[in-house]
Amino acid sequence: FPSVWPVFSPARKFANWLENYADVMDLNVWTSSVVTSAVSEDSGKWTVTVKRGDGKERALRVNHVVSATGLAETSIGTLKPPYVEGMEIFKGKVLHSFEHKRALDYAGKKVVVVGAATSAHDICADCYRHGVDVTMYQRSSTYVFSTKNGFKYLTDELYLNSGLPTHSADLLKASFPNLLGTELNVRSVDALAEADKPLLDALRARGFKLNNGYKGAGQLLQFLTKKGGYYIDVGASQLIADGKIKLKSNSYMKKFTENGILFEDGTGLPADVVVFATGVGETKGGLKSIVGTEVADKCGPIWGLNSEGELYGVWRDLGVRGLWSATGHLAACRFHSKHLAMQIKALEAGLLKERYSL
C-alpha cells in the first residue's frame, strides 16, 4: 500500500484499493455473482456454473477451481444458529451473526448477542453506537488484547520498525515454525497482558472471562487452531468495562421463553432479537456447497494445525485433482497465493510429477 496510508486501513479505503487494483491490472472480476456448482469430470476438467447478477447462468470449463470463500461452512446462503430448547415459542427474532447487516435494523428493541469473540464485540459496539439496548452473553473465556499495545509486542519490529520490505517481512514470518513459536509467544503474551492490565482488570471487574489464547500463546495460534475465540480491541472492550454494553457471563443458557432467555441459575434476559455469534462452522462445509458432499469428502481436513504445525489443506494439494483451498488473513493470502499459483503453473507445464502431500 502507499506509504502515506494509515497502519489500520478503513474498510472502504481498502475496498476501493482492491477495485482499483483489479481495474489497472485488467483482472476479469465478476461481482454480484454466485457459483451454484462445480462438477468434476473424468477428463480432469471442471464445469463451473455461475449465476450472474442479471439472473443469467454461465458455464465455465476449467482445469482448476480455487475456493477462496473464507472460513465459514457455507459460501452460499447463510449459517443457522444452534438449536436451543424453546426457540420455537420465542416471539422475537433469532439469527446468526452471518445474517447481521446493521444495528439500525434493531432500533427500539432489546438485543442479546450470544458469543464473546470478534463478531459479538463488533455487533454489540454497533448496537451501542446506534442507541440499541444490547447485552453480550459470554459462554466461555475470550482472549483480548488492545491494538494500542498488541502490535507493539507481537509484530512491531517486523512490520513497522524493521525497515524491511513487506515481502521480506512476510518471508521471515512464514519461515518460523508455528509450533516453535508457542513457547516464545507465551513471553510476548505475558508482556502484552501487563501492558493491557488496566483494561483487562476492568473487564474482569465486570465479570468478563479472559484467557491467554491457545496454550497461552495468544491470538495467532488461537486463529490457526480455532478460527476465533479472541478479540483485538478497537473500542468494544472499554464499552463493556464501562457498562455501556451489558454483560451476562455467570450461567449457562437453559432455554428460550416467549419473551427472552432463561438461564440455569434462574435469571433471565428479556429480548426482542437474539444474535448467535457462535462461530462459522466447519470450513470444508463451504466447499461442500460448491462441489457437493461426495467430492468434498475426498478432500483432507481444511484448517487447523497438523503434527508438524502446518495448516491442513490450505494452499496445498487437497486430495482432489484441480481443487484448491485459499483462505486466511491478508498477510497469509498475500504470501501463499504465489505458492498456489506456482503449483498450478507447474502442473499445467507438466513439471510436477510427484509431490509431498499432507
Side-chain angles (χ1 to χ4, degrees):
F1 304 114
S3 59
V4 296
W5 273 34
V7 174
F8 302 106
S9 170
R12 289 185 182 275
K13 194 177 188 72
F14 181 57
N16 288 340
W17 175 265
L18 292 179
E19 192 172 64
N20 250 322
Y21 182 86
D23 182 39
V24 299
M25 297 299 291
D26 285 329
L27 300 180
N28 191 7
V29 178
W30 290 358
T31 57
S32 301
S33 301
V34 176
V35 175
T36 57
S37 68
V39 180
S40 175
E41 303 174 6
D42 293 338
S43 64
K45 295 276 189 179
W46 290 82
T47 298
V48 182
T49 303
V50 182
K51 188 174 183 180
R52 303 298 306 278
D54 60 6
K56 295 179 180 178
E57 289 192 344
R58 289 284 301 276
L60 309 175
R61 199 160 182 264
V62 298
N63 293 342
H64 299 270
V65 174
V66 180
S67 175
T69 56
L71 292 168
E73 72 173 351
T74 181
S75 59
I76 303 172
T78 187
L79 296 171
K80 300 295 183 184
Y83 176 75
V84 177
E85 181 186 348
M87 191 178 281
E88 62 278 357
I89 67 169
F90 178 56
K91 292 180 178 179
K93 182 177 183 179
V94 178
L95 66 155
H96 192 279
S97 57
F98 204 80
E99 302 171 86
H100 171 77
K101 301 300 180 185
R102 56 178 191 162
L104 287 175
D105 294 338
Y106 318 136
K109 300 181 183 297
K110 290 185 180 293
V111 176
V112 174
V113 178
V114 180
T118 302
S119 294
H121 280 80
D122 288 348
I123 293 170
C124 286
D126 188 23
C127 287
Y128 169 76
R129 289 169 184 146
H130 288 89
V132 177
D133 184 320
V134 62
T135 301
M136 176 186 288
Y137 168 51
Q138 184 186 31
R139 302 171 301 162
S140 57
S141 60
T142 309
Y143 178 53
V144 174
F145 67 91
S146 69
T147 52
K148 174 185 175 182
N149 295 315
F151 292 95
K152 174 182 176 182
Y153 286 91
L154 301 179
T155 61
D156 184 61
E157 292 304 315
L158 185 58
Y159 283 99
L160 300 182
N161 292 333
S162 68
L164 288 172
T166 301
H167 174 74
S168 298
D170 284 346
L171 185 62
L172 278 174
K173 187 172 181 62
S175 68
F176 200 84
N178 289 318
L179 296 184
L180 180 60
T182 303
E183 294 301 321
L184 296 178
N185 286 348
V186 168
R187 303 177 190 177
S188 298
V189 168
D190 288 344
L192 174 55
E194 185 61 31
D196 279 340
K197 190 174 186 300
L199 174 64
L200 301 182
D201 284 349
L203 286 172
R204 290 189 184 98
R206 281 285 171 186
F208 193 91
K209 295 178 286 188
L210 296 165
N211 63 53
N212 281 344
Y214 179 75
K215 293 187 175 181
Q219 177 266 337
L220 181 58
L221 284 178
Q222 183 76 18
F223 173 61
L224 296 179
T225 56
K226 307 295 184 183
K227 298 186 292 187
Y230 59 87
Y231 175 60
I232 304 173
D233 181 40
V234 291
S237 290
Q238 193 61 55
L239 293 176
I240 294 170
D242 293 340
K244 295 174 180 177
I245 294 174
K246 290 178 281 188
L247 177 69
K248 173 70 177 178
S249 64
N250 56 359
S251 183
Y252 289 110
M253 182 187 295
K254 183 176 182 179
K255 64 179 182 179
F256 274 88
T257 64
E258 288 187 356
N259 300 306
I261 301 170
L262 179 66
F263 296 91
E264 290 188 353
D265 64 0
T267 61
L269 278 176
D272 303 300
V273 179
V274 178
V275 182
F276 281 84
T278 50
V280 294
E282 181 194 11
T283 302
K284 193 187 287 187
L287 204 58
K288 289 179 181 179
S289 63
I290 296 174
V291 303
T293 300
E294 183 179 348
V295 173
D297 285 346
K298 294 178 182 178
C299 299
I302 301 176
W303 207 255
L305 297 181
N306 63 17
S307 60
E308 297 180 354
E310 298 295 329
L311 276 172
Y312 282 115
V314 185
W315 315 109
R316 63 178 76 246
D317 178 26
L318 263 181
V320 175
R321 181 179 175 184
L323 184 61
W324 311 85
S325 175
T327 192
H329 54 71
L330 180 62
C333 295
R334 177 176 63 213
F335 184 72
H336 291 295
S337 58
K338 300 180 181 68
H339 303 149
L340 177 50
M342 289 171 64
Q343 292 176 77
I344 292 174
K345 176 65 176 177
L347 284 168
E348 290 299 293
L351 300 176
L352 199 56
K353 304 297 184 182
E354 295 182 7
R355 60 183 301 159
Y356 173 74
S357 182
L358 294 177

